[in-house]
Amino acid sequence: MALASGAVGRVLLVSPPPVEERGCLAAMFAGASERGEGLAAMMAEVARQRGTGFFDAGSVIGSDPLDGVHFSAESHVALGHAMAQAVRDLMKELV
């Protein structure tokens, strides 16, 4: 939608880290690990086809072991730094 709107110059498609079926949310996300297999690769292919940037958050962080879905405070910091670098790299491509 962002590309179709013409309002943005570049898009960074971000694949989330895999969901882990554990902790208090395990039952709610039953089967999510299996369904999510290959998601990052599929999203990378969509990004390639659409000509957008791509970032795999799972290459930097994992889901918090407490619930298998959310991120720890430390993971948020690591993800923020990594995504900031990914955006800088994407912006360099525009120059």
Side-chain angles (χ1 to χ4, degrees):
M1 290 174 48
L3 289 174
S5 74
V8 297
R10 292 288 290 170
V11 170
L12 180 64
L13 184 60
V14 180
S15 177
V19 171
E20 297 178 14
E21 299 166 41
R22 57 171 56 196
C24 62
L25 299 178
M28 183 183 297
F29 288 93
S33 296
E34 186 176 314
R35 288 191 310 273
E37 286 180 17
L39 178 63
M42 287 187 281
M43 290 182 73
E45 178 57 21
V46 168
R48 187 194 65 75
Q49 291 173 358
R50 302 278 170 97
T52 70
F54 175 74
F55 179 77
D56 179 6
S59 69
V60 178
I61 67 167
S63 298
D64 194 305
L66 291 176
D67 68 14
V69 178
H70 296 98
F71 314 142
S72 68
E74 296 81 12
S75 291
H76 277 281
V77 171
L79 181 60
H81 287 293
M83 285 194 60
Q85 184 59 54
V87 170
R88 281 191 292 272
D89 293 344
L90 189 63
M91 298 303 290
K92 288 178 188 175
E93 294 175 16
L94 295 175
V95 181

